[in-house]
């Protein structure tokens, strides 16, 4: 499974992208569960957030959803944090 996160917005308006492939990872099962839950809670288009907050686009294989601070679910927050930290 390929997971991509694009973070935009924020005070500086700098976009950040990262992608992670779960193949061969020891935590692949956990990442698949997080991705499933994150997709289920996301919106099809840009979501309202707060001024200077981050907006996220999460793509898992061919499906993309959108979410925004401070309305992230725990699964979205953990998936975004993991992909941005460990992805390329």
């Amino acid at each position: 499974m390929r997971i991509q996160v694009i973070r935009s917005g924020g005070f500086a308006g700098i976009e950040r992208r990262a992608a992670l492939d779960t193949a061969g990872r020891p935590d692949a099962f956990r990442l698949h569960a997080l991705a499933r839950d994150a997709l289920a809670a996301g919106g099809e288009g840009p979501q309202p957030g707060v001024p200077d907050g981050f907006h996220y686009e999460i793509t898992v294989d061919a499906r993309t959803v959108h979410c925004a601070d401070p309305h992230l679910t725990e699964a979205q927050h953990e998936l975004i944090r993991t992909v941005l930290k460990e992805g390329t």
Side-chain angles (χ1 to χ4, degrees):
M1 174 182 286
R2 180 168 166 33
I3 305 168
Q4 178 180 337
V5 172
I6 301 172
R7 182 183 75 188
S8 60
F11 182 72
I14 298 172
E15 184 176 278
R16 182 165 176 215
R17 296 171 176 255
L20 190 67
D21 190 341
T22 63
R25 289 181 58 105
D27 61 348
F29 181 78
R30 181 182 68 85
L31 290 170
H32 290 192
L34 288 173
R36 181 191 67 237
D37 294 346
L39 289 177
E44 296 300 319
Q47 300 296 300
V50 295
D52 295 329
F54 289 115
H55 294 265
Y56 302 93
E57 181 178 297
I58 302 170
T59 303
V60 178
D61 293 330
R63 180 155 179 237
T64 300
V65 297
H66 299 264
C67 51
D69 284 334
H71 310 293
L72 300 177
T73 65
E74 185 61 36
Q76 289 169 336
H77 178 74
E78 188 172 346
L79 184 66
I80 289 166
R81 183 181 54 78
T82 301
V83 173
L84 290 178
K85 180 180 178 184
E86 299 178 22
T88 57

